Amino acid sequence: MKYLVMVQGTQADYEAMRGEKSAHSPAWSEKDVQTMFAFMGQLNDELAESGELVDAHGLVEPARTRTVTAGEDGRPVISDGPYGETKELLAGYWVLDCASLDRVTEIAARVTQCPAPAGAPVYPVVIRPIDESGCQE
């Protein structure tokens, strides 16, 4: 079964990774960032080797996000980020093909061990099974 495994973050988290401290997060050093990337790279390599990795990407900061909704008149309403009303947004994801929910849960638990500076916010790792059955009649 395929699963979407998601990590979350905020605009402040992206700024912290650029070395900008805030009330939300301590500033990350270049070494902190490189340690995080090395951890994720090793995890991705292991998942590729096991045949479980379908796709994985980190996403750009919320400030570079755009949301399109339908206005009351049916015309599109376009909003550029970041969004003050949104606490956390998708920061990155994996699409994994795992033998069981237990296996993908093991992987998600490992993602929670990604190194970060002391005091950095901790977010849950969200697992969603992918419905590959198509439309049901």
Side-chain angles (χ1 to χ4, degrees), residues 23-35:
H24 177 76
S25 182
W28 288 48
S29 69
E30 183 62 29
K31 182 179 178 187
D32 293 328
V33 173
Q34 292 306 317
T35 300

Side-chain angles (χ1 to χ4, degrees), residues 25-132:
S25 182
W28 288 48
S29 69
E30 183 62 29
K31 182 179 178 187
D32 293 328
V33 173
Q34 292 306 317
T35 300
M36 184 260 307
F37 282 136
F39 176 91
M40 291 298 186
Q42 181 180 0
L43 177 62
N44 289 344
D45 289 347
E46 290 173 17
L47 293 169
E49 189 174 307
S50 71
E52 295 168 305
L53 181 65
V54 176
D55 189 27
H57 288 282
L59 302 176
V60 299
E61 64 186 315
R64 295 174 51 195
T65 299
R66 179 171 281 173
T67 299
V68 181
T69 57
E72 289 183 24
D73 62 0
R75 296 178 62 170
V77 176
I78 301 167
S79 303
D80 290 327
Y83 309 102
E85 70 277 6
T86 304
K87 292 182 181 179
E88 295 143 15
L89 295 170
L90 185 63
Y93 69 91
W94 291 262
V95 176
L96 302 176
D97 192 351
C98 296
S100 67
L101 181 58
D102 287 341
R103 172 61 182 144
V104 75
T105 302
E106 289 174 13
I107 295 166
R110 188 157 166 219
V111 171
T112 68
Q113 301 303 308
C114 183
V122 176
Y123 300 103
V125 177
V126 179
I127 301 167
R128 298 277 310 267
I130 296 174
D131 184 356
E132 295 185 283

